[in-house]
Amino acid sequence: MRSIQLFIATSLDGYIARTSGDVDWLFTDQDYGYTEFFEQVDTVLMGRKTYEQVLGFGEYPYHGKKGYVFSKTQQQQQDENVEFVSADWVNFLNQLRRAQGQNIWLVGGSELIRFCFQHGFVDELILSIHPIILGNGIPLIAHDPALETLLKLQHTKTYETGLLQVTYAIQKQVEK
């Protein structure tokens, strides 16, 4: 079965973007393991708002990867970059995980991340924690007290810039 990996940057206080969606605070001075990670995936998953934000950066950054955008409101079938998934997300993700291929990258945003945690689809979490406190913004995972999940530390890496990258395996969701 294919692994779904959440590879994402966050502020120290747990935000993946400013409230506006802006990520101007992210370090771009070096690779931070991105190229190696990107070579190990052949599929990217993202929510509609994240996709729209990515398109605002200029050229679509995930060429060569199969892309899926999850949206409850947008019924479009596909565009030049991605296919849209608007119904039966659980069945779609189960089939995708069983299909042949490399790892699957869960790009974001927080609503799709919450959904994937709710249904046990995240296998690994790779967090690049930037040394900044934003105080407000879009949270890593949309609030849901039922998502309490045990993680197992796999790897840590520190960078001279102060960025800390931690990799966790998902152990299990805590039953309440």
Side-chain angles (χ1 to χ4, degrees):
M1 185 171 293
R2 297 166 71 187
S3 175
I4 296 180
Q5 299 170 304
L6 174 58
F7 181 90
I8 197 162
T10 181
S11 64
L12 185 62
D13 53 347
Y15 297 106
I16 58 175
R18 295 187 189 281
T19 305
S20 65
D22 198 359
V23 291
D24 60 330
W25 52 274
L26 291 177
F27 292 163
T28 58
D29 61 318
Q30 59 182 292
D31 183 73
Y32 295 106
Y34 176 81
T35 300
E36 181 181 349
F37 174 80
F38 195 68
E39 290 172 354
Q40 297 173 17
V41 300
D42 65 0
T43 305
V44 295
L45 311 175
M46 65 195 100
R48 180 191 50 81
K49 292 178 203 169
T50 298
Y51 181 59
E52 290 172 359
Q53 185 74 17
V54 164
L55 292 178
F57 296 152
E59 184 177 335
Y60 181 71
Y62 310 124
H63 288 291
K65 309 295 181 185
K66 185 68 180 166
Y68 298 99
V69 172
F70 292 75
S71 174
K72 294 177 182 170
T73 59
Q74 193 160 348
Q75 302 300 313
Q76 184 177 356
Q77 293 297 316
Q78 65 183 48
D79 67 17
E80 65 275 6
N81 302 312
V82 298
E83 291 182 32
F84 289 82
V85 180
S86 58
D88 201 0
W89 293 6
V90 170
N91 185 50
F92 179 86
L93 288 168
N94 279 323
Q95 289 181 2
L96 188 62
R97 290 180 80 192
R98 287 191 293 266
Q100 291 289 347
Q102 293 178 277
N103 293 334
I104 300 165
W105 179 12
L106 174 55
V107 176
S110 67
E111 293 289 334
L112 181 58
I113 292 169
R114 179 183 59 174
F115 177 86
C116 287
F117 269 101
Q118 282 175 328
H119 297 281
F121 287 119
V122 181
D123 299 298
E124 188 174 56
L125 172 60
I126 305 163
L127 279 178
S128 294
I129 304 167
H130 289 248
I132 185 170
I133 295 171
L134 294 177
N136 195 11
I138 299 170
L140 172 63
I141 301 172
H143 180 72
D144 185 342
L147 288 186
E148 185 174 331
T149 303
L150 296 176
L151 309 173
K152 181 174 181 177
L153 181 65
Q154 299 292 312
H155 180 72
T156 61
K157 184 168 185 175
T158 58
Y159 293 88
E160 290 181 9
T161 58
L163 186 136
L164 171 65
Q165 193 168 75
V166 293
T167 303
Y168 294 101
I170 307 304
Q171 285 191 297
K172 67 177 181 172
Q173 190 166 358
V174 176
E175 298 295 327
K176 291 193 173 197

